[in-house]
Amino acid sequence: MSGTNDVLTRVTLRVNRFAPRPEREGRSRGASPFARKASPFGSSAEPRARRPRGRQWVQEYVLDVRPQDTVLDCLLTIKRTVDPTLAFRYSCGHGMCGSDAVAINGTPTLLCTAAVADWAKPAVPVDADGFRRTGDADATAADDDAAAASAAAGAATASADLGVIELSPLPGFPVLRDLIADIDPMLDQIRKLKPYLQADGVLATTSEGKVDVFEYLQHPEELARYETLTNCIACGVCEGSCPVFAGGDAFIGPAALIAASRFVNDSRDTATDARLDAIDTPDGVSACQSVRACTLQCPRGIDVGEEMWQIVAKVKER
Ligand code: SF4
Ligand code: FES
């Protein structure tokens, strides 16, 4: 993680850990009819439990890292050299696959694009009784000043302490283990909305009259209407940020609506009415409260809140 010439700083990763209790024989996960989220967009065959049971605890890991290292770098170091039992998910390592979405300091984002220096915050002091002194304004301000001075000095010293980064699984999804959330409910919802082109192609033939290819013709300005939406990597960050979705109320969620919007805006697609029908439901666009928290952390730069607004308008204008 660091070369010999790198200045190292100290950071504490405070990880919310979870070890599921083994299933009792004969009981399938999520079989309870009282499972909180029973959206018709979820898996109808087996509704999913919101809160698997198991042991929860908070574990701290102290590392010496470079400020520009990512939180994913830190977790990989822990996994390889400190604690192989720590569970988290990642794949590409550079913001392309969307598999490593978690909550960092309570904010949904990707592990692999989060630099330690951007997310470490001064440790909240704990008093002798084990309580955090969050209400003591003077003490907190003084601690902030001390931490800022410490961070500034970090450029020149190897023992600077950047503070603490708190990690927990992506909100709004059942937790499988440690930082791994079960995003299948989101993928089920996206799948239900048929995220593929339904179009009448133009048959192109070779000079011999044989079928060559189906062409789906489009002008550049038509492509521009949905091109940004194709960048969605289904990471679930917008869903974890949405207070309606992550709050547990039945809502198809912004990621599924982005997937629908991508094809509604595609001039080649011939299923627009059916697509709008599918989201014109109480837990479809009607559940969106236009909070727009979904926009804030999208790693692909999609203005999710604005897209929600646009698709709601399309449904209502019919
Ligand atoms: S819209 Fe953005 S935040 Fe939401 S799933 Fe797609 S890439 Fe992730
Ligand atoms: S590991 Fe692929 S997006 Fe972070």
Side-chain angles (χ1 to χ4, degrees):
M1 190 158 58
S2 53
T4 51
N5 296 325
D6 297 324
V7 175
L8 298 182
T9 53
R10 183 149 294 182
V11 68
T12 302
L13 264 59
R14 189 173 290 153
V15 183
N16 283 279
R17 301 199 59 184
F18 173 73
R21 198 157 62 198
E23 293 281 336
R24 263 191 261 154
E25 211 164 313
R27 285 186 61 182
S28 61
R29 185 168 65 86
S32 167
F34 303 109
R36 221 174 143 201
K37 193 161 191 171
S39 163
F41 291 98
S43 168
S44 55
E46 187 180 342
R48 289 170 189 285
R50 298 283 291 171
R51 295 192 184 122
R53 295 182 181 174
R55 189 166 78 89
Q56 290 181 320
W57 74 104
V58 175
Q59 190 156 353
E60 291 194 350
Y61 303 92
V62 179
L63 295 177
D64 291 328
V65 301
R66 298 175 306 176
Q68 68 269 30
D69 285 334
T70 66
V71 180
L72 177 61
D73 291 331
C74 298
L75 291 180
L76 288 169
T77 299
I78 293 168
K79 181 93 178 166
R80 288 165 184 160
T81 64
V82 181
D83 182 357
T85 68
L86 180 62
F88 54 95
R89 185 169 53 212
Y90 79 104
S91 182
C92 69
H94 56 273
M96 295 304 292
C97 71
S99 63
D100 60 338
V102 301
I104 304 184
N105 298 340
T107 302
T109 192
L110 301 180
L111 287 168
C112 65
T113 57
V116 167
D118 294 338
W119 288 93
K121 59 180 186 179
V124 176
V126 178
D127 65 20
D129 297 322
F131 292 105
R132 293 183 180 185
R133 290 193 288 128
T134 52
D136 186 343
D138 291 340
T140 304
D143 291 331
D144 285 353
D145 291 346
S150 170
T157 169
S159 59
D161 193 338
L162 283 178
V164 175
I165 297 176
E166 294 182 343
L167 298 174
S168 50
L170 192 62
F173 296 93
V175 184
L176 296 176
R177 180 178 289 276
D178 293 342
L179 297 176
I180 301 177
D182 179 4
I183 61 168
D184 278 359
M186 173 182 71
L187 301 178
D188 286 344
Q189 290 158 352
I190 293 174
R191 264 192 294 268
K192 289 261 179 186
L193 296 181
K194 301 184 178 164
Y196 45 84
L197 190 67
Q198 299 178 61
D200 295 328
V202 177
L203 185 62
T205 53
T206 63
S207 51
E208 294 88 45
K210 293 182 180 164
V211 173
D212 190 17
V213 69
F214 280 96
E215 293 182 329
Y216 298 95
L217 302 174
Q218 194 164 55
H219 292 292
E221 54 272 24
E222 292 171 324
L223 171 65
R225 271 184 224 135
Y226 68 90
E227 193 171 19
T228 307
L229 302 180
T230 65
N231 292 331
C232 175
I233 51 177
C235 63
V237 163
C238 54
E239 311 236 319
S241 308
C242 171
V244 182
F245 183 91
D249 295 325
F251 177 32
I252 186 174
L257 290 175
I258 284 292
S261 190
R262 178 250 175 273
F263 291 100
V264 165
N265 284 308
D266 190 332
S267 61
R268 303 166 299 171
D269 196 87
T270 55
T272 302
D273 284 341
R275 294 186 190 283
L276 295 179
D277 283 345
I279 58 174
D280 188 7
T281 59
D283 57 0
V285 291
S286 303
C288 177
Q289 303 294 311
S290 300
V291 178
R292 295 201 175 210
C294 49
T295 294
L296 298 177
Q297 293 293 332
C298 174
R300 306 300 295 164
I302 298 172
D303 188 343
V304 187
E306 179 60 24
E307 294 300 333
M308 294 299 102
W309 185 258
Q310 300 283 346
I311 194 87
V312 169
K314 281 193 174 79
V315 168
K316 289 187 175 163
E317 282 166 7
R318 294 193 298 160

